[in-house]
Amino acid sequence: MEHLTPAYFGLEPLNLGKLTLQEEFWCDHQKWLQDCGYMLRPRYMLDWQLSWPVDVRGMEYEDAQPLIRALTINDTTRLSDGAYVTLKIIKPSLHPYKVDTAMSLCLKQLTSDPLNHCVPIYNVLKLPEDNDKVILVMPLLRGWHELEFEMVREGIYFFQQIFEDILILNVLMDGSMYPDRWHPCNRRHMQDNFRLLAKHFSHTEHPPKYYFIDFGISCWYGPDNKAPLELPIRNYVGNLIREAVINEYKDFDFMWPLISDMVQDDLAKCPTIDQVVKHFADMCKKLGILKLHAYVGRRDESFGVVHDFVHLFTTIKYTLMGIPPVPTQ
């Protein structure tokens, strides 16, 4: 069978030693970003030279990793403290409320609230040559689903956080489970040593914080406006849990009564977020220790005696470590 290479689809093979057209934007702005206090990776330096021999494919080298979403997103090191952060390009003409909404949710009196899961915005950079582009500086995050749940308790922890804030749009998680960070273009590998896999802990050992991002379709209303005109995002939270958790993992069927209420076609019959939180809390009180520690493999996954023994050992280890039944931040 012919390999599915770019040539198979009539495309030119990706030249890792050359920046894509989208990546050239970042190279052109590298010096300006450095002056603003942010250092891009070596690939985007004006004097970048390949770190691998020209006769080698190069994919295993750090600076051979092209950006996945170069048109809008890049990663960078903040020079003031060495923190690894994300840069995201926004066009206010397309999303007029996105920046203001995100910034308003990052006010000190709101970020100190543990129930606020909106992604923090560290800085807003205005491009000197383009009035319709700004760059948001945010923490480096990754998809909430990229590390699978191992126990019911970890799913409970996830549900708790997404029920705490009704501003659900897209969900990401922080790097709590990754002590040595990861490479943003290939998240299986370490950021500082691309040839090594990124070390990570489980959701139980180092519980992540989940963040909500993307306020592009959001609108801002004053306190006197009692009837917003925009249509609601239908049943997003319920559908997210149903499709990405209950339908994918075993042992979350106890969530069906609540989720069924949340995904009704008639929005008037759907519970309010306060009712959801109360219903969820009541359900959790009925879950025993064995249920919370139950392994939640994929629905198409089969288990054996060895797996059961390993899971039992892991459960005992967590208990001896004094980790509570449901993870806490």
Side-chain angles (χ1 to χ4, degrees):
M1 180 178 178
E2 186 174 355
H3 293 294
L4 299 182
T5 61
Y8 177 82
F9 296 99
L11 302 174
E12 291 292 329
L14 181 62
N15 183 357
L16 300 177
K18 181 180 179 181
L19 299 181
T20 65
L21 184 62
Q22 291 82 6
E23 287 181 301
E24 289 179 2
F25 166 87
W26 298 104
C27 183
D28 293 340
H29 291 80
Q30 183 273 321
K31 183 62 172 62
W32 173 73
L33 286 168
Q34 183 175 346
D35 292 340
C36 292
Y38 302 95
M39 182 65 73
L40 298 178
R41 286 184 284 115
R43 182 177 176 87
Y44 305 107
M45 299 296 176
L46 292 173
D47 58 352
W48 173 54
Q49 294 183 351
L50 306 187
S51 65
W52 66 91
V54 294
D55 58 343
V56 174
R57 184 165 176 260
M59 196 62 198
E60 63 184 35
Y61 290 81
E62 188 283 323
D63 61 332
Q65 311 306 311
L67 287 170
I68 300 173
R69 298 175 62 186
L71 191 62
T72 56
I73 294 179
N74 201 346
D75 54 277
T76 185
T77 299
R78 187 166 56 193
L79 294 175
S80 61
D81 58 1
Y84 215 52
V85 295
T86 296
L87 304 177
K88 183 173 183 178
I89 299 175
I90 301 296
K91 296 191 70 173
S93 62
L94 293 179
H95 304 294
Y97 304 107
K98 190 167 189 173
V99 176
D100 289 343
T101 301
M103 291 299 295
S104 66
L105 294 169
C106 293
L107 297 176
K108 187 174 181 180
Q109 60 267 37
L110 295 180
T111 55
S112 60
D113 187 341
L115 300 184
N116 183 0
H117 291 272
C118 298
V119 62
I121 306 299
Y122 299 142
N123 201 354
V124 178
L125 308 176
K126 297 182 179 180
L127 269 70
E129 80 285 0
D130 192 339
N131 292 329
D132 194 31
K133 279 185 180 178
V134 298
I135 298 179
L136 302 184
V137 183
M138 306 180 295
L140 182 67
L141 305 173
R142 58 189 299 148
W144 69 270
H145 57 283
E146 291 184 25
L147 278 182
E148 296 185 351
F149 297 135
E150 295 180 357
M151 298 182 177
V152 169
R153 58 195 282 166
E154 297 170 352
I156 294 292
Y157 178 71
F158 172 66
F159 302 149
Q160 282 179 340
Q161 290 199 42
I162 65 173
F163 287 154
E164 284 176 348
D165 198 318
I166 61 173
L167 293 170
I168 302 245
L169 297 164
N170 285 325
V171 185
L172 297 178
M173 66 180 180
D174 68 8
S176 299
M177 292 185 287
Y178 289 81
D180 301 315
R181 304 190 300 197
W182 65 88
H183 196 284
C185 297
N186 190 327
R187 292 188 283 267
R188 295 181 64 248
H189 293 265
M190 290 182 62
Q191 190 265 326
D192 295 325
N193 190 337
F194 188 74
R195 299 192 179 193
L196 298 179
L197 294 178
K199 176 185 177 182
H200 65 82
F201 294 93
S202 70
H203 291 77
T204 296
E205 293 171 304
H206 285 210
K209 179 166 183 176
Y210 297 97
Y211 285 106
F212 309 140
I213 66 169
D214 286 348
F215 301 96
I217 59 175
S218 302
C219 288
W220 191 259
Y221 289 94
D224 296 331
N225 195 318
K226 304 298 184 182
L229 302 178
E230 274 65 35
L231 294 175
I233 303 175
R234 295 178 61 87
N235 305 327
Y236 184 91
V237 184
N239 282 319
L240 172 69
I241 295 175
R242 179 180 63 182
E243 300 301 325
V245 181
I246 299 178
N247 287 347
E248 292 292 326
Y249 289 94
K250 302 175 182 179
D251 265 321
F252 284 115
D253 290 340
F254 65 90
M255 290 289 293
W256 271 123
L258 174 58
I259 299 306
S260 296
D261 282 346
M262 295 176 65
V263 298
Q264 296 182 78
D265 291 333
D266 186 351
L267 294 180
K269 295 181 180 179
C270 293
T272 66
I273 192 63
D274 290 335
Q275 292 170 332
V276 168
V277 170
K278 184 180 185 306
H279 188 170
F280 177 71
D282 291 341
M283 286 195 310
C284 289
K285 292 177 182 177
K286 300 176 183 178
L287 300 178
I289 294 295
L290 292 180
K291 180 65 175 180
L292 291 172
H293 285 285
Y295 180 76
V296 289
R298 295 285 179 174
R299 288 195 175 272
D300 58 356
E301 184 179 355
S302 59
F303 310 140
V305 176
V306 174
H307 174 276
D308 293 341
F309 178 79
V310 172
H311 180 66
L312 176 62
F313 176 81
T314 302
T315 301
I316 294 174
K317 181 185 73 171
Y318 290 161
T319 302
L320 294 177
M321 291 171 62
I323 296 177
V326 176
T328 56
Q329 294 180 37

